[in-house]
Amino acid sequence: MEPRESWAALAAGGIAGVSVDLILFPLDTVKTRLQSPQGFRKAGGFRGIYAGVPSTAIGSFPNAAAFFITYENVKSMLHHGSTSYLTPATHMVAASLGEVVACLIRVPSEVVKQRAQVSPPSSTLRILSHILYHEDLWSWKQGHVVDSWQSAVCGAFAGGFAAAVTTPLDVAKTRIMLAKAGSSNASGNVLAALGGIWRTQGLSGLFAGVVPRMAAISLGGFIFLGTYEKTRQLLL
C-alpha cells in the first residue's frame, strides 16, 4: 500500500467516524438509556441527549482512522497472491484486525460516554459492511467497484441487519460498562450479564433499544461508508 493511500485511508476514516458519531449521538444516547438497568426515565429520558459527547468527539477520529488504516493495509498485504474466491475471507480478516486495533481506543472513550449518557448532570456494523463493500451484487453486476453512494446504501442495509442480530451483546456490554465496582456485572463476564438480563427481563430485556440501535447503525453505515469512500476518492 502506497504512503499516499495510507494517509488517504487514515484521513477519510477519521472524518467518516467523526461525522457518524456526532450526527447520530442522540440516537445512541436513547439506546444506552433504554438498555440501562435503572430504566429509561431514571437514566435521563430524553433530557440532555448530548451528554457525553466530548469523549466521543475526542475518541471518534483516532478510532475510525485506526480501523481503516489497519483494514486497508492488512487487506493490501493479504491480496498479494490470493485468488478471487478468497476475497471475502481477506476482507473478514482485515476488518477483524481493524476492529481489534480500533477497540484499544474505543473502549475507554465508550465507558466515559455511556456513563455520562445515563447521568447527564455529572459518553459492531462495520465488519459486515466492509465485507460487502467489494463483494456486493452491485459490484458484480456493474463489473467494477461500487460508487460511494452505493457503498453507503450497502453499509446501511448491512449495518441494520448486524445491529438487530447483535443487540443482546450490546445490551450486555452496556450493563458491564455501567456496572458499579463490586457488582456482579463489574467482572466483565458477558455470559453472566446475558443470563442475568434473561432471568430478570426476558427477551425484551435482551433486545432493549433494538429500534434506535438499528436506526443509528443503518444511518451510521450509510454516512460512514459514503463519507469514507467520497473523502478517499477526493484525496487520491
Side-chain angles (χ1 to χ4, degrees):
M1 191 173 179
E2 296 293 324
R4 188 182 175 190
E5 292 178 326
S6 294
W7 281 109
L10 190 148
I15 291 168
V18 171
S19 301
V20 171
D21 288 342
L22 295 184
I23 291 170
L24 301 177
F25 192 85
L27 275 175
D28 185 65
T29 301
V30 170
K31 184 266 302 181
T32 298
R33 291 176 180 176
L34 284 168
Q35 293 176 349
S36 169
Q38 58 189 296
F40 181 70
R41 285 196 172 187
K42 287 186 179 179
F46 289 104
R47 301 186 308 276
I49 55 174
Y50 275 95
V53 77
S55 65
T56 293
I58 292 168
S60 186
F61 189 98
N63 166 43
F67 173 84
F68 273 113
I69 196 70
T70 306
Y71 171 74
E72 293 290 357
N73 275 288
V74 172
K75 185 179 70 173
S76 178
M77 287 188 292
L78 293 177
H79 263 317
H80 291 301
S82 64
T83 53
S84 59
Y85 69 86
L86 288 176
T87 301
T90 298
H91 284 259
M92 289 173 69
V93 172
S96 297
L97 290 175
E99 279 294 299
V100 170
V101 173
C103 278
L104 297 175
I105 300 168
R106 183 188 307 133
V107 172
S109 64
E110 186 81 357
V111 172
V112 175
K113 179 202 74 173
Q114 290 200 327
R115 292 190 179 183
Q117 284 175 328
V118 297
S119 346
S122 358
S123 173
T124 337
L125 150 90
R126 287 166 181 159
I127 294 176
L128 186 54
S129 302
H130 298 299
I131 295 168
L132 289 177
Y133 170 57
H134 279 291
E135 291 302 307
D136 187 78
L137 285 174
W138 243 333
S139 182
W140 175 76
K141 263 189 169 180
Q142 294 175 158
H144 61 79
V145 175
V146 291
D147 297 325
S148 56
W149 71 270
Q150 294 171 322
S151 180
V153 172
C154 290
F157 280 106
F161 175 77
V165 173
T166 58
T167 294
L169 289 174
D170 188 61
V171 175
K173 180 208 72 172
T174 299
R175 296 293 177 89
I176 289 168
M177 285 185 167
L178 296 178
K180 293 181 180 178
S183 65
S184 58
N185 283 334
S187 64
N189 188 319
V190 175
L191 291 178
L194 287 170
I197 296 164
W198 172 258
R199 285 192 299 273
T200 57
Q201 295 175 281
L203 195 62
S204 62
L206 289 174
F207 283 89
V210 65
V211 174
R213 175 171 161 78
M214 285 181 66
I217 295 182
S218 293
L219 289 170
F222 185 89
I223 298 168
F224 191 66
L225 289 183
T227 303
Y228 173 73
E229 284 305 317
K230 196 65 182 175
T231 305
R232 190 167 177 271
Q233 287 169 15
L234 291 172
L235 292 173
L236 290 174

